Amino acid sequence: MKFSVCLPAVFGNMPPAQALALSRDAGLGSYELWSWWDWDLDEILRAQQETGLLPAAILTPLVPLTDPACRGEYIDGLKRTASVCRYLGCRSIISQVGGGSITPSPA
């Protein structure tokens, strides 16, 4: 079993290099990245290369898929998240599709 830490939930706005180094030093083998749109992905990639940690999972934007009118927005967020996963070497996506909406700014 691999334990991971959710960077924003545990480290807030701490720079990725520092957050990943603390995670590695605590014995964690990976991290989760929710709200990836709030982070500098190039900075995270550099921190991964420095620490050897890879993401266990990355969260899609929270779009209420239960509302048929939002399905296009959900698919767009899923595609953007898949692109981020490829960039950071992540093989798992977390997708919450219930009510509420937390989404990134349009690209």
Side-chain angles (χ1 to χ4, degrees), residues 5-106:
V5 61
C6 174
L7 293 186
V10 174
F11 297 109
N13 293 326
M14 182 181 291
Q18 186 178 359
L20 289 182
L22 287 170
S23 299
R24 178 201 57 213
D25 294 347
L28 297 170
S30 58
Y31 69 93
E32 293 178 17
L33 187 60
W34 302 2
S35 66
W36 54 260
W37 49 90
D38 290 332
W39 293 77
D40 179 332
L41 299 178
D42 294 330
E43 189 176 352
I44 289 180
L45 184 61
R46 283 189 298 275
Q48 283 184 189
Q49 293 165 342
E50 291 170 8
T51 62
L53 296 184
L54 291 174
I58 295 177
L59 182 73
T60 63
L62 303 177
V63 176
L65 189 56
T66 53
D67 178 352
C70 295
R71 291 192 179 147
E73 181 183 0
Y74 173 78
I75 295 298
D76 178 61
L78 180 61
K79 288 177 181 177
R80 291 171 66 194
T81 302
S83 177
V84 170
C85 285
R86 281 189 295 276
Y87 182 67
L88 296 177
C90 181
R91 298 180 62 186
S92 298
I93 292 176
I94 298 171
S95 188
Q96 299 179 12
V97 296
S101 180
I102 301 174
T103 58
S105 300

